[in-house]
Amino acid sequence: MPITPATATHSSSNGTADAILLELVDENGVTIGTAEKLSAHQPPGQLHRAFSVFLFDERGRLLIQQRALGKYHSPGVWSNTCCGHPYPGEAPFAAAARRTYEELGVSPSLLAEAGTVRYNHPDPASGLVEQEYNHLFVGLVQAELRPDPEEVAQTAFVSPAELAERHAADTFSAWFMTVLDAARPAVRELTGSSADW
């Protein structure tokens, strides 16, 4: 795994880990500052830049992941292929490609922008708030997955019908349906009408 700011061990002069900073934005997605990751998610939440990735296989099935149980935010729930936050000054496209590799051990064979969506989703289980300006990406995955167990508990490729069954039976992230619905036009363009997204 390549060493990136997300995977490297950082220590400051006093021996504590460096804080991970997020990019704060206004309602138009214009950067207005930074905040430490956990503090940005404390109620009522600070609007910050995020991204969500939806990757599909050659049969038009969506790759979903169950978040690792050790994650502080939304552990153990199912969600889209990959999601996260760009570092301050990092392009959302670059962040999406970076985190997909870090979490799933694979680089998309195609990755394209699919718009943005702004939402405010409290997470009842953790008490944290997702107040996000989210950049959406759709693409294809053709290589074998090598998930990082500290990030991902399980993965699955699902058709729309299989996703509906899982969504009724399993717990999904608070933001999942919001980002999927916002990405649907690009998903349909990518997968074609036969995939039924």
Side-chain angles (χ1 to χ4, degrees):
M1 177 183 294
I3 300 299
T4 71
T7 59
T9 301
H10 297 289
S11 294
S12 61
S13 58
N14 64 5
T16 61
D18 290 345
I20 295 174
L21 296 179
L22 305 185
E23 202 169 78
L24 300 180
V25 298
D26 66 15
E27 293 292 337
N28 298 310
V30 176
T31 303
I32 58 172
T34 60
E36 190 276 325
K37 183 178 179 181
L38 186 56
S39 69
H41 290 88
Q42 299 289 340
Q46 294 175 279
L47 184 59
H48 58 274
R49 194 176 308 285
F51 63 83
S52 290
V53 177
F54 298 87
L55 296 182
F56 296 82
D57 67 7
E58 69 282 351
R59 293 168 49 191
R61 298 179 304 167
L62 172 62
L63 173 60
I64 57 174
Q65 67 156 281
Q66 183 183 33
R67 294 164 61 85
L69 294 175
K71 293 180 82 71
Y72 77 90
H73 190 344
S74 302
V77 303
W78 287 88
S79 199
N80 49 294
T81 307
C82 179
C83 53
H85 309 92
Y87 295 117
E90 182 182 28
F93 184 93
R98 171 180 58 79
R99 282 303 289 165
T100 299
Y101 185 83
E102 290 171 352
E103 290 188 11
L104 296 163
V106 65
S107 295
S109 55
L110 172 74
L111 191 63
E113 293 182 11
T116 59
V117 64
R118 192 262 195 250
Y119 53 79
N120 176 2
H121 285 302
D123 176 35
S126 68
L128 300 175
V129 177
E130 287 292 0
Q131 187 84 254
E132 293 186 331
Y133 187 93
N134 198 305
H135 297 257
L136 308 171
F137 298 92
V138 299
L140 300 173
V141 60
Q142 295 173 307
E144 183 179 347
L145 303 176
R146 297 183 314 278
D148 178 348
E150 292 187 13
E151 298 287 345
V152 180
Q154 297 181 64
T155 61
F157 284 95
V158 294
S159 68
E162 290 166 337
L163 179 61
E165 289 175 13
R166 280 180 173 263
H167 198 261
D170 296 322
T171 303
F172 276 73
S173 64
W175 61 88
F176 176 74
M177 287 309 298
T178 300
V179 293
L180 176 58
D181 286 345
R184 277 188 200 274
V187 168
R188 290 180 182 127
E189 187 175 334
L190 175 72
T191 60
S193 58
S194 63
D196 204 27
W197 286 102

